[in-house]
Amino acid sequence: MNLVYADLDGNLFDHPDYIALGRNGDMVTDIMEDELIPLPEGATMVSLPFTKPIGLNMKSGEMQIVPGNVQAVGALLPQGFTRLLIPSYVKSDASKLLPLFGYTAVVWKDGGFYVAAHATDDPEPWNPRNCDPAELEVQVQQFLQEYGDNRVFQHLSKCALEYECLTASNTFLNRLEGSIPVSFSCNAGCFGCISEQPDDSGFLAPQTRMNFKPTVDEVVQVMLRHLKTPDNIVSFGQGCEGEPSTQAPTIIEAIKRVRQQTNMGYININTNAGLTDHIRGIVDAGLNLMRVSTISALDDHYNAYYKPRGYTLKNVEKSLRYAADKGVVTSINYLIFPGVTDREEEIEAMIEFVRRTDLKLIQLRNLNIDPESYLQLIPKAQGELFGMKQMLEIFEQELPDVILGSYTHLPESLKQRRHLHQSR
Protein backbone atom coordinates (compact mmCIF):
# COMPACT_ATOMS: atom_id res chain seq x y z
CA MET A 1 0.00 0.00 0.00
CA ASN A 2 1.64 3.18 -1.23
CA LEU A 3 1.85 6.43 0.71
CA VAL A 4 -0.38 9.21 -0.66
CA TYR A 5 0.90 12.79 -0.68
CA ALA A 6 0.05 16.17 -2.17
CA ASP A 7 2.23 18.76 -3.86
CA LEU A 8 2.02 22.39 -2.78
CA ASP A 9 -0.77 22.99 -5.31
CA GLY A 10 -2.91 20.27 -3.78
CA ASN A 11 -2.45 17.67 -6.53
CA LEU A 12 -2.49 14.09 -5.20
CA PHE A 13 0.08 11.39 -5.91
CA ASP A 14 1.04 7.98 -4.59
CA HIS A 15 4.71 7.46 -3.75
CA PRO A 16 6.24 4.26 -5.18
CA ASP A 17 9.13 4.33 -2.69
CA TYR A 18 7.15 4.57 0.56
CA ILE A 19 4.65 2.33 2.32
CA ALA A 20 1.79 4.23 3.94
CA LEU A 21 1.64 4.47 7.73
CA GLY A 22 -1.01 5.77 10.11
CA ARG A 23 -1.11 7.42 13.51
CA ASN A 24 -2.92 6.32 16.65
CA GLY A 25 -2.76 9.45 18.76
CA ASP A 26 0.89 10.50 18.64
CA MET A 27 2.16 6.99 17.82
CA VAL A 28 3.07 6.20 14.19
CA THR A 29 1.93 2.69 13.33
CA ASP A 30 1.53 0.18 10.50
CA ILE A 31 -1.84 0.00 8.78
CA MET A 32 -3.31 -3.50 8.76
CA GLU A 33 -5.21 -4.83 5.75
CA ASP A 34 -8.35 -5.44 7.86
CA GLU A 35 -8.35 -1.77 8.85
CA LEU A 36 -8.82 -0.60 5.26
CA ILE A 37 -11.95 -0.07 3.19
CA PRO A 38 -12.31 1.56 -0.26
CA LEU A 39 -12.72 5.33 -0.14
CA PRO A 40 -16.46 5.79 0.50
CA GLU A 41 -18.69 7.76 -1.83
CA GLY A 42 -19.03 11.28 -0.46
CA ALA A 43 -15.58 11.32 1.17
CA THR A 44 -13.31 14.30 0.51
CA MET A 45 -9.55 14.10 0.03
CA VAL A 46 -7.62 17.02 1.52
CA SER A 47 -3.99 18.04 1.93
CA LEU A 48 -2.82 18.93 5.43
CA PRO A 49 -1.12 22.33 5.35
CA PHE A 50 2.23 22.79 7.13
CA THR A 51 2.83 19.04 7.33
CA LYS A 52 5.22 16.43 5.96
CA PRO A 53 4.07 12.81 5.51
CA ILE A 54 5.84 9.98 7.32
CA GLY A 55 6.23 6.68 5.47
CA LEU A 56 8.17 3.44 5.52
CA ASN A 57 11.06 3.50 3.03
CA MET A 58 10.68 0.34 0.94
CA LYS A 59 14.43 0.02 0.29
CA SER A 60 15.82 0.66 3.77
CA GLY A 61 12.81 -0.49 5.80
CA GLU A 62 13.15 2.66 7.91
CA MET A 63 10.44 5.07 8.95
CA GLN A 64 11.16 8.45 7.33
CA ILE A 65 9.80 11.90 6.70
CA VAL A 66 9.19 12.07 2.95
CA PRO A 67 11.58 14.64 1.42
CA GLY A 68 10.68 17.38 -1.06
CA ASN A 69 7.89 19.95 -1.37
CA VAL A 70 5.15 17.57 -0.27
CA GLN A 71 2.28 17.60 2.21
CA ALA A 72 0.44 14.84 4.05
CA VAL A 73 -3.03 13.84 2.85
CA GLY A 74 -6.13 12.79 4.75
CA ALA A 75 -9.71 11.86 3.95
CA LEU A 76 -12.81 13.46 5.46
CA LEU A 77 -15.39 10.69 5.86
CA PRO A 78 -19.14 11.01 5.28
CA GLN A 79 -21.75 9.98 7.84
CA GLY A 80 -21.76 6.25 8.55
CA PHE A 81 -17.99 5.71 8.70
CA THR A 82 -15.75 5.66 11.78
CA ARG A 83 -12.05 6.36 11.33
CA LEU A 84 -9.53 3.97 12.80
CA LEU A 85 -6.31 5.95 12.27
CA ILE A 86 -5.32 9.53 11.54
CA PRO A 87 -2.76 10.36 8.81
CA SER A 88 0.91 9.88 9.60
CA TYR A 89 2.68 13.23 9.48
CA VAL A 90 4.87 15.69 11.28
CA LYS A 91 4.22 19.43 11.24
CA SER A 92 6.74 21.56 9.40
CA ASP A 93 5.58 24.47 11.54
CA ALA A 94 4.50 23.39 15.04
CA SER A 95 2.79 26.72 15.70
CA LYS A 96 0.23 26.17 12.94
CA LEU A 97 -3.14 24.57 13.70
CA LEU A 98 -4.92 22.37 11.19
CA PRO A 99 -8.47 23.37 10.20
CA LEU A 100 -11.23 21.77 12.27
CA PHE A 101 -11.83 18.53 10.37
CA GLY A 102 -11.63 14.82 11.19
CA TYR A 103 -8.64 13.61 9.17
CA THR A 104 -8.44 9.89 8.31
CA ALA A 105 -5.40 7.94 7.11
CA VAL A 106 -5.54 7.18 3.37
CA VAL A 107 -3.46 4.84 1.17
CA TRP A 108 -3.21 3.84 -2.49
CA LYS A 109 -3.57 0.15 -3.25
CA ASP A 110 -4.99 -2.06 -6.00
CA GLY A 111 -5.43 0.96 -8.23
CA GLY A 112 -7.56 3.01 -5.86
CA PHE A 113 -7.75 4.98 -2.63
CA TYR A 114 -8.44 3.17 0.64
CA VAL A 115 -9.01 4.62 4.10
CA ALA A 116 -8.42 3.31 7.63
CA ALA A 117 -12.08 3.22 8.62
CA HIS A 118 -15.01 1.03 9.62
CA ALA A 119 -18.55 1.17 8.20
CA THR A 120 -20.64 1.82 11.32
CA ASP A 121 -23.98 2.77 9.79
CA ASP A 122 -25.89 2.94 6.52
CA PRO A 123 -24.47 6.01 4.74
CA GLU A 124 -27.33 6.33 2.26
CA PRO A 125 -29.77 8.53 4.26
CA TRP A 126 -27.04 11.13 4.81
CA ASN A 127 -25.31 10.87 1.45
CA PRO A 128 -24.85 14.43 0.08
CA ARG A 129 -25.74 13.04 -3.34
CA ASN A 130 -29.36 12.78 -2.15
CA CYS A 131 -29.54 16.54 -1.65
CA ASP A 132 -30.14 18.08 -5.07
CA PRO A 133 -28.75 21.67 -4.97
CA ALA A 134 -31.26 22.89 -7.56
CA GLU A 135 -34.23 21.44 -5.70
CA LEU A 136 -32.90 22.80 -2.41
CA GLU A 137 -32.56 26.29 -3.87
CA VAL A 138 -36.17 26.22 -5.05
CA GLN A 139 -37.44 24.94 -1.72
CA VAL A 140 -35.51 27.53 0.28
CA GLN A 141 -36.96 30.34 -1.80
CA GLN A 142 -40.49 28.94 -1.40
CA PHE A 143 -40.09 28.69 2.37
CA LEU A 144 -38.75 32.24 2.62
CA GLN A 145 -41.67 33.55 0.60
CA GLU A 146 -44.19 31.60 2.66
CA TYR A 147 -42.59 32.32 6.06
CA GLY A 148 -40.85 35.60 5.31
CA ASP A 149 -41.00 36.88 8.90
CA ASN A 150 -39.63 33.69 10.49
CA ARG A 151 -36.03 34.37 11.49
CA VAL A 152 -35.31 30.68 12.09
CA PHE A 153 -36.05 29.85 8.46
CA GLN A 154 -33.94 32.84 7.39
CA HIS A 155 -31.04 31.62 9.53
CA LEU A 156 -31.34 28.03 8.27
CA SER A 157 -31.34 29.19 4.66
CA LYS A 158 -27.71 30.27 5.08
CA CYS A 159 -26.85 27.01 6.84
CA ALA A 160 -28.35 25.01 3.98
CA LEU A 161 -27.08 26.99 0.99
CA GLU A 162 -23.77 28.38 2.23
CA TYR A 163 -22.55 25.80 4.76
CA GLU A 164 -24.26 22.89 2.96
CA CYS A 165 -25.56 21.57 6.30
CA LEU A 166 -27.63 18.48 5.54
CA THR A 167 -29.78 18.82 8.66
CA ALA A 168 -30.70 22.38 7.71
CA SER A 169 -31.31 21.24 4.13
CA ASN A 170 -33.63 18.51 5.41
CA THR A 171 -35.76 21.21 7.03
CA PHE A 172 -36.47 22.73 3.62
CA LEU A 173 -36.78 19.35 1.86
CA ASN A 174 -39.19 18.09 4.56
CA ARG A 175 -37.41 14.80 5.15
CA LEU A 176 -35.50 12.89 7.84
CA GLU A 177 -34.05 15.01 10.67
CA GLY A 178 -34.65 18.74 10.40
CA SER A 179 -33.03 21.42 12.54
CA ILE A 180 -34.43 24.05 14.91
CA PRO A 181 -31.63 26.17 16.39
CA VAL A 182 -32.85 28.22 19.36
CA SER A 183 -29.87 29.29 21.47
CA PHE A 184 -27.16 31.91 21.06
CA SER A 185 -25.57 31.13 24.45
CA CYS A 186 -23.82 28.10 25.91
CA ASN A 187 -22.90 26.70 29.33
CA ALA A 188 -19.71 25.09 28.01
CA GLY A 189 -16.57 26.41 26.36
CA CYS A 190 -15.76 23.46 24.10
CA PHE A 191 -12.23 23.28 22.79
CA GLY A 192 -12.51 23.68 19.03
CA CYS A 193 -16.18 24.74 19.04
CA ILE A 194 -17.33 24.98 15.43
CA SER A 195 -19.59 28.01 15.93
CA GLU A 196 -17.78 30.26 18.42
CA GLN A 197 -14.09 30.66 19.27
CA PRO A 198 -12.24 32.98 21.64
CA ASP A 199 -10.07 35.50 19.79
CA ASP A 200 -6.88 33.90 21.15
CA SER A 201 -7.82 30.25 20.42
CA GLY A 202 -5.93 30.02 17.13
CA PHE A 203 -8.92 28.24 15.56
CA LEU A 204 -11.21 29.68 12.93
CA ALA A 205 -14.85 28.76 13.59
CA PRO A 206 -16.20 27.31 10.31
CA GLN A 207 -19.78 28.41 11.07
CA THR A 208 -21.48 31.54 12.39
CA ARG A 209 -23.53 31.10 15.55
CA MET A 210 -27.09 32.41 15.56
CA ASN A 211 -27.36 35.82 17.22
CA PHE A 212 -31.04 36.10 18.15
CA LYS A 213 -33.59 34.45 20.42
CA PRO A 214 -36.44 32.90 18.45
CA THR A 215 -39.99 33.39 19.64
CA VAL A 216 -42.18 30.42 20.56
CA ASP A 217 -44.33 31.20 17.51
CA GLU A 218 -41.32 30.97 15.19
CA VAL A 219 -40.21 27.65 16.71
CA VAL A 220 -43.70 26.16 16.56
CA GLN A 221 -44.01 27.18 12.92
CA VAL A 222 -40.80 25.34 11.99
CA MET A 223 -41.79 22.25 13.99
CA LEU A 224 -45.29 21.96 12.51
CA ARG A 225 -43.93 22.47 9.00
CA HIS A 226 -41.54 19.53 9.39
CA LEU A 227 -43.69 17.13 11.42
CA LYS A 228 -45.92 16.19 8.49
CA THR A 229 -44.88 12.53 8.21
CA PRO A 230 -44.66 9.82 10.90
CA ASP A 231 -40.91 9.33 10.44
CA ASN A 232 -39.68 12.93 10.37
CA ILE A 233 -37.60 14.26 13.28
CA VAL A 234 -37.25 17.84 14.47
CA SER A 235 -34.08 18.53 16.42
CA PHE A 236 -33.10 21.23 18.85
CA GLY A 237 -29.35 21.65 19.20
CA GLN A 238 -27.33 22.35 16.06
CA GLY A 239 -23.74 23.23 15.22
CA CYS A 240 -24.77 26.83 14.54
CA GLU A 241 -26.02 27.45 18.08
CA GLY A 242 -25.05 27.17 21.73
CA GLU A 243 -26.67 24.81 24.24
CA PRO A 244 -30.40 24.54 23.43
CA SER A 245 -31.50 23.77 27.00
CA THR A 246 -30.46 27.30 28.03
CA GLN A 247 -33.68 28.26 26.20
CA ALA A 248 -35.77 25.64 28.03
CA PRO A 249 -38.89 27.85 28.51
CA THR A 250 -39.12 28.41 24.74
CA ILE A 251 -38.60 24.72 23.96
CA ILE A 252 -41.06 23.51 26.61
CA GLU A 253 -43.85 25.83 25.46
CA ALA A 254 -43.19 25.01 21.79
CA ILE A 255 -43.34 21.24 22.39
CA LYS A 256 -46.59 21.56 24.34
CA ARG A 257 -48.24 23.67 21.64
CA VAL A 258 -47.07 21.39 18.84
CA ARG A 259 -48.27 18.24 20.58
CA GLN A 260 -51.68 19.84 21.08
CA GLN A 261 -51.91 20.01 17.28
CA THR A 262 -50.17 16.86 16.02
CA ASN A 263 -48.71 13.56 17.22
CA MET A 264 -46.78 13.12 13.98
CA GLY A 265 -43.04 12.50 13.96
CA TYR A 266 -40.45 12.71 16.70
CA ILE A 267 -39.04 15.59 18.76
CA ASN A 268 -35.31 15.34 19.51
CA ILE A 269 -32.77 17.41 21.38
CA ASN A 270 -29.01 17.38 20.85
CA THR A 271 -27.60 18.64 24.14
CA ASN A 272 -24.72 18.52 26.61
CA ALA A 273 -27.43 17.71 29.23
CA GLY A 274 -25.62 19.63 31.96
CA LEU A 275 -28.68 21.64 33.01
CA THR A 276 -30.52 18.73 34.57
CA ASP A 277 -33.53 20.72 35.81
CA HIS A 278 -34.02 22.20 32.34
CA ILE A 279 -33.72 18.78 30.73
CA ARG A 280 -36.35 17.39 33.10
CA GLY A 281 -38.79 20.10 32.04
CA ILE A 282 -38.12 19.44 28.34
CA VAL A 283 -38.54 15.68 28.84
CA ASP A 284 -41.82 16.17 30.71
CA ALA A 285 -43.15 18.43 27.94
CA GLY A 286 -43.14 15.52 25.49
CA LEU A 287 -39.60 14.87 24.23
CA ASN A 288 -39.17 11.63 22.25
CA LEU A 289 -35.42 11.40 21.55
CA MET A 290 -32.33 12.81 23.26
CA ARG A 291 -28.73 12.74 22.05
CA VAL A 292 -26.11 13.86 24.53
CA SER A 293 -22.70 15.03 23.37
CA THR A 294 -19.70 13.64 25.23
CA ILE A 295 -16.05 12.94 24.59
CA SER A 296 -15.34 10.79 27.63
CA ALA A 297 -16.84 9.26 30.76
CA LEU A 298 -13.78 10.41 32.73
CA ASP A 299 -14.17 13.71 34.58
CA ASP A 300 -10.69 15.11 33.89
CA HIS A 301 -10.87 14.41 30.16
CA TYR A 302 -14.46 15.67 29.89
CA ASN A 303 -13.69 18.87 31.79
CA ALA A 304 -10.55 19.58 29.77
CA TYR A 305 -12.45 19.48 26.50
CA TYR A 306 -15.91 20.86 27.38
CA LYS A 307 -14.88 23.37 30.04
CA PRO A 308 -18.36 23.11 31.62
CA ARG A 309 -19.80 26.18 33.35
CA GLY A 310 -21.88 25.34 36.39
CA TYR A 311 -22.34 21.63 35.79
CA THR A 312 -20.40 18.35 35.96
CA LEU A 313 -20.40 15.00 34.22
CA LYS A 314 -22.57 13.73 37.08
CA ASN A 315 -25.30 16.19 35.99
CA VAL A 316 -25.06 14.78 32.46
CA GLU A 317 -25.53 11.27 33.83
CA LYS A 318 -28.56 12.33 35.90
CA SER A 319 -30.18 13.91 32.83
CA LEU A 320 -29.69 10.76 30.76
CA ARG A 321 -31.02 8.55 33.52
CA TYR A 322 -34.11 10.73 34.02
CA ALA A 323 -34.89 10.79 30.30
CA ALA A 324 -34.47 7.02 29.97
CA ASP A 325 -36.73 6.41 32.97
CA LYS A 326 -39.41 8.59 31.32
CA GLY A 327 -39.32 6.55 28.11
CA VAL A 328 -37.16 8.86 26.00
CA VAL A 329 -34.90 6.99 23.56
CA THR A 330 -31.44 8.18 24.60
CA SER A 331 -28.11 8.14 22.82
CA ILE A 332 -24.73 9.79 23.05
CA ASN A 333 -22.94 11.77 20.38
CA TYR A 334 -19.57 10.17 21.17
CA LEU A 335 -16.70 12.30 19.86
CA ILE A 336 -13.97 9.77 19.13
CA PHE A 337 -10.28 10.08 18.34
CA PRO A 338 -7.80 7.28 17.54
CA GLY A 339 -5.24 6.94 20.31
CA VAL A 340 -7.55 8.42 22.94
CA THR A 341 -10.98 6.80 22.78
CA ASP A 342 -9.34 3.37 22.52
CA ARG A 343 -7.36 3.75 25.74
CA GLU A 344 -8.08 1.09 28.35
CA GLU A 345 -9.29 3.55 30.99
CA GLU A 346 -11.54 5.34 28.49
CA ILE A 347 -13.17 2.11 27.32
CA GLU A 348 -13.80 0.83 30.85
CA ALA A 349 -15.30 4.13 32.01
CA MET A 350 -17.57 4.44 28.97
CA ILE A 351 -18.92 0.90 29.29
CA GLU A 352 -19.92 1.58 32.90
CA PHE A 353 -21.40 4.97 31.97
CA VAL A 354 -23.55 3.39 29.26
CA ARG A 355 -24.78 0.70 31.65
CA ARG A 356 -25.68 3.20 34.37
CA THR A 357 -27.63 5.45 32.02
CA ASP A 358 -29.45 2.73 30.04
CA LEU A 359 -28.38 4.14 26.69
CA LYS A 360 -29.92 2.67 23.56
CA LEU A 361 -27.47 3.97 20.96
CA ILE A 362 -23.87 5.17 20.73
CA GLN A 363 -23.46 7.57 17.82
CA LEU A 364 -19.78 7.47 16.89
CA ARG A 365 -18.60 10.82 15.55
CA ASN A 366 -15.09 11.54 14.26
CA LEU A 367 -13.76 14.46 16.31
CA ASN A 368 -12.98 17.49 14.14
CA ILE A 369 -9.84 18.90 15.73
CA ASP A 370 -6.16 19.70 15.30
CA PRO A 371 -4.59 16.47 16.66
CA GLU A 372 -1.57 18.02 18.36
CA SER A 373 -3.48 20.66 20.29
CA TYR A 374 -6.07 18.09 21.42
CA LEU A 375 -3.43 15.62 22.62
CA GLN A 376 -1.70 18.40 24.58
CA LEU A 377 -4.99 19.43 26.18
CA ILE A 378 -6.20 16.13 27.61
CA PRO A 379 -4.76 13.87 30.36
CA LYS A 380 -2.05 11.42 29.34
CA ALA A 381 -2.88 7.75 28.80
CA GLN A 382 -2.69 5.51 31.88
CA GLY A 383 -3.36 2.00 30.57
CA GLU A 384 -3.11 -0.08 27.43
CA LEU A 385 -3.93 1.24 23.95
CA PHE A 386 -6.23 -1.26 22.24
CA GLY A 387 -6.73 0.29 18.79
CA MET A 388 -10.03 1.54 17.42
CA LYS A 389 -11.05 -1.69 15.70
CA GLN A 390 -10.64 -3.73 18.88
CA MET A 391 -12.41 -1.01 20.87
CA LEU A 392 -15.49 -1.38 18.64
CA GLU A 393 -15.38 -5.13 19.13
CA ILE A 394 -15.19 -4.71 22.93
CA PHE A 395 -18.23 -2.40 22.90
CA GLU A 396 -20.21 -4.94 20.87
CA GLN A 397 -19.27 -7.74 23.27
CA GLU A 398 -19.79 -5.84 26.53
CA LEU A 399 -22.89 -3.88 25.45
CA PRO A 400 -24.95 -6.35 23.40
CA ASP A 401 -28.20 -4.37 23.83
CA VAL A 402 -26.65 -1.08 22.68
CA ILE A 403 -26.44 -0.19 18.99
CA LEU A 404 -23.28 1.34 17.53
CA GLY A 405 -24.22 3.80 14.80
CA SER A 406 -23.44 7.22 13.37
CA TYR A 407 -26.68 9.22 13.54
CA THR A 408 -30.09 9.35 15.21
CA HIS A 409 -32.37 6.39 14.50
CA LEU A 410 -36.09 6.01 15.04
CA PRO A 411 -37.15 3.62 17.81
CA GLU A 412 -38.42 0.99 15.36
CA SER A 413 -35.15 1.08 13.42
CA LEU A 414 -33.20 0.57 16.65
CA LYS A 415 -35.34 -2.43 17.55
CA GLN A 416 -34.70 -4.00 14.15
CA ARG A 417 -30.96 -3.43 14.36
CA ARG A 418 -30.86 -4.79 17.91
CA HIS A 419 -32.73 -7.91 16.81
CA LEU A 420 -30.31 -8.48 13.92
CA HIS A 421 -27.32 -7.95 16.18
CA GLN A 422 -28.57 -10.37 18.84
CA SER A 423 -29.45 -13.06 16.27
CA ARG A 424 -25.92 -13.21 14.86
Side-chain angles (χ1 to χ4, degrees):
M1 57 187 79
N2 289 1
L3 179 145
V4 178
Y5 70 95
D7 64 19
L8 298 185
D9 293 324
N11 300 304
L12 301 184
F13 304 89
D14 70 295
H15 206 304
D17 299 329
Y18 287 89
I19 295 174
L21 299 172
R23 264 179 56 184
N24 203 30
D26 54 11
M27 181 177 67
V28 177
T29 181
D30 293 327
I31 303 176
M32 301 293 105
E33 287 286 347
D34 65 356
E35 293 177 312
L36 291 172
I37 61 173
L39 183 73
E41 181 182 10
T44 304
M45 300 282 283
V46 296
S47 59
L48 279 59
F50 316 109
T51 67
K52 292 275 193 178
I54 299 174
L56 191 67
N57 189 304
M58 290 186 183
K59 294 180 180 178
S60 67
E62 295 180 353
M63 192 181 297
Q64 294 179 348
I65 298 173
V66 178
N69 293 322
V70 297
Q71 294 178 328
V73 168
L76 310 181
L77 301 176
Q79 281 273 44
F81 296 91
T82 299
R83 67 175 168 183
L84 304 180
L85 294 168
I86 65 174
S88 177
Y89 68 86
V90 63
K91 285 186 176 177
S92 54
D93 185 344
S95 68
K96 300 292 186 180
L97 300 179
L98 293 177
L100 296 173
F101 295 114
Y103 306 97
T104 301
V106 60
V107 309
W108 178 266
K109 81 181 198 82
D110 301 333
F113 292 113
Y114 282 69
V115 290
H118 178 76
T120 317
D121 219 324
D122 178 9
E124 189 60 20
W126 291 91
N127 192 323
R129 161 174 59 79
N130 296 326
C131 183
D132 184 333
E135 179 188 2
L136 177 62
E137 179 79 39
V138 170
Q139 288 297 108
V140 168
Q141 294 308 317
Q142 287 184 353
F143 269 70
L144 294 182
Q145 289 176 8
E146 186 176 353
Y147 305 101
D149 296 332
N150 191 311
R151 294 170 298 167
V152 178
F153 280 129
Q154 293 170 11
H155 174 81
L156 290 175
S157 68
K158 180 177 182 179
C159 299
L161 298 177
E162 184 174 328
Y163 299 138
E164 298 182 350
C165 171
L166 286 177
T167 316
S169 300
N170 286 341
T171 307
F172 295 103
L173 297 172
N174 196 33
R175 65 176 192 184
L176 302 173
E177 181 180 350
S179 53
I180 314 179
V182 293
S183 176
F184 54 84
S185 62
C186 197
N187 60 332
C190 297
F191 183 74
C193 175
I194 63 172
S195 68
E196 187 171 271
Q197 289 290 327
D199 293 337
D200 60 351
S201 71
F203 291 115
L204 179 64
Q207 299 178 4
T208 301
R209 179 174 293 183
M210 70 184 309
N211 59 4
F212 64 95
K213 178 182 176 180
T215 65
V216 174
D217 286 343
E218 287 174 315
V219 174
V220 168
Q221 201 169 51
V222 178
M223 294 175 72
L224 288 175
R225 188 65 175 80
H226 197 69
L227 292 176
K228 289 191 172 183
T229 68
D231 292 342
N232 273 8
I233 302 171
V234 290
S235 285
F236 299 100
Q238 304 299 317
C240 58
E241 66 174 313
E243 165 53 37
S245 66
T246 61
Q247 301 299 324
T250 298
I251 293 175
I252 291 169
E253 180 61 23
I255 292 176
K256 289 179 178 178
R257 283 171 52 178
V258 165
R259 283 310 185 212
Q260 288 171 356
Q261 299 179 60
T262 181
N263 288 320
M264 281 282 203
Y266 297 85
I267 300 173
N268 173 62
I269 188 169
N270 304 315
T271 172
N272 62 38
L275 300 174
T276 304
D277 289 342
H278 292 196
I279 293 296
R280 286 173 178 156
I282 293 169
V283 167
D284 293 345
L287 192 69
N288 304 117
L289 312 170
M290 184 167 82
R291 184 181 74 190
V292 173
S293 179
T294 190
I295 202 164
S296 176
L298 297 171
D299 289 290
D300 52 357
H301 183 184
Y302 183 93
N303 293 337
Y305 178 80
Y306 282 96
K307 300 179 176 62
R309 301 162 184 156
Y311 76 93
T312 68
L313 192 52
K314 185 59 68 175
N315 294 114
V316 177
E317 185 173 325
K318 288 179 180 177
S319 296
L320 275 166
R321 186 70 251 183
Y322 183 84
D325 289 344
K326 292 293 185 177
V328 174
V329 177
T330 56
S331 65
I332 54 170
N333 188 55
Y334 194 15
L335 305 176
I336 59 175
F337 188 90
V340 178
T341 317
D342 53 335
R343 295 174 179 177
E344 182 178 12
E345 62 270 24
E346 294 282 352
I347 295 172
E348 290 178 351
M350 183 51 66
I351 288 172
E352 292 306 313
F353 182 85
V354 170
R355 287 172 175 164
R356 290 195 304 270
T357 54
D358 193 26
L359 283 177
K360 303 300 187 292
L361 168 67
I362 297 176
Q363 298 183 38
L364 300 161
R365 296 297 181 94
N366 302 311
L367 177 62
N368 296 327
I369 202 68
D370 171 74
E372 281 68 35
S373 57
Y374 174 57
L375 292 169
Q376 291 170 8
L377 172 79
I378 64 173
K380 302 300 181 185
Q382 302 298 316
E384 184 181 349
L385 196 62
F386 282 89
M388 294 294 290
K389 190 172 180 62
Q390 188 173 354
M391 180 204 77
L392 295 176
E393 293 170 355
I394 291 172
F395 281 153
E396 288 181 341
Q397 293 168 3
E398 296 294 325
L399 303 167
D401 295 330
V402 180
I403 298 301
L404 300 181
S406 298
Y407 49 80
T408 296
H409 285 263
L410 300 179
E412 281 303 313
S413 173
L414 283 179
K415 289 178 183 177
Q416 292 171 3
R417 290 192 59 175
R418 192 174 296 113
H419 176 74
L420 289 173
H421 176 69
Q422 292 172 345
S423 63
R424 288 173 185 170

